[in-house]
Amino acid sequence: ADVGLRNDLFLTVPRGQATKLRGTVTLTPDLVAPIPAATAVGELQVILDDTVIARRPLHPLKDVERGGIWRRAIDSVWLWFE
């Protein structure tokens, strides 16, 4: 499922420093559906040089419904190999 921020993120950085911004995404492993869109499933960190200047939770862009029996069977097999 696609994830993103629930609201826009605005940052002010010193002039000429925007090219030094970088983002890292950490997602919660082994999530099991159903997952409501309001549930945080990870975190975005925005880093300037070596300093984290913003942290925001990541959410599914829409509700993740429970899969059908076939999808759940395939996912169960994949969990054995992780």
Side-chain angles (χ1 to χ4, degrees):
D2 295 329
V3 299
L5 300 174
R6 293 190 74 176
N7 299 303
D8 292 337
L9 173 62
F10 297 96
L11 299 170
T12 303
V13 295
R15 185 180 309 271
Q17 299 297 307
T19 58
K20 294 182 181 181
L21 287 174
R22 62 186 173 91
T24 62
V25 171
T26 305
L27 295 175
T28 305
D30 301 327
L31 293 167
V32 177
I35 304 170
T39 303
V41 295
E43 181 180 67
L44 167 70
Q45 292 184 356
V46 181
I47 302 164
L48 179 62
D49 293 323
D50 291 325
T51 304
V52 176
I53 61 171
R55 292 177 194 261
R56 295 293 184 277
L58 294 170
H59 299 269
L61 297 181
K62 62 181 181 178
D63 292 341
V64 178
E65 301 298 328
R66 183 175 182 203
I69 192 162
W70 182 247
R71 176 80 259 163
R72 291 193 316 263
I74 292 170
D75 289 346
S76 293
V77 170
W78 281 113
L79 286 174
W80 291 341
F81 294 104
E82 291 185 351

